[in-house]
Amino acid sequence: MRKVDYDFSYTEPEEIADWGDAEDGIVKIFAMDENYEEMELKLDIKNDARAKVVTAVKKAIEEAAEDADGGARAVMMVFEGPRHMGGKVDILQIISDAKVVTGD
């Protein structure tokens, strides 16, 4: 597994206040990699074991949105690595934390 940072773009449901209405408790988080390619990450907000991560993600998104200058961005910190299923290889991505980054 390797740790990769992805820049937050938006979520479904869009408003954090509406996350409790997410189907099956799964919030879709859309983020971009260093090549500005969009990807979909999923966060289980109803899993108590992930409560600290959910709180960190919400806090980072809110703090970046409140930045009047627009220089702050929320960054999803993700562990990713291959998952072998028979003859198929998938990339497993797990949000491990979130932070706010300012500047370049």
Side-chain angles (χ1 to χ4, degrees), residues 13-88:
E14 188 172 338
E15 299 296 325
I16 290 176
D18 298 330
W19 282 16
D21 299 331
E23 186 175 330
D24 297 326
I26 304 295
V27 172
K28 295 178 184 175
I29 297 175
F30 295 87
M32 293 181 290
D33 65 12
E34 68 275 359
N35 296 320
Y36 301 103
E37 292 182 28
E38 187 176 73
M39 67 187 50
E40 178 182 319
L41 304 168
K42 294 182 181 180
L43 181 61
D44 183 352
I45 63 165
K46 295 192 177 183
N47 182 342
D48 290 340
R50 306 283 294 147
K52 285 184 179 180
V53 173
V54 171
T55 299
V57 168
K58 286 180 177 181
K59 182 179 176 186
I61 292 170
E62 290 170 340
E63 283 184 26
E66 291 172 358
D67 178 29
D69 297 334
R73 65 187 196 281
V75 175
M76 303 298 114
M77 300 160 67
V78 177
F79 285 120
E80 67 179 30
R83 177 174 64 174
H84 302 276
M85 301 282 293
K88 184 179 172 187

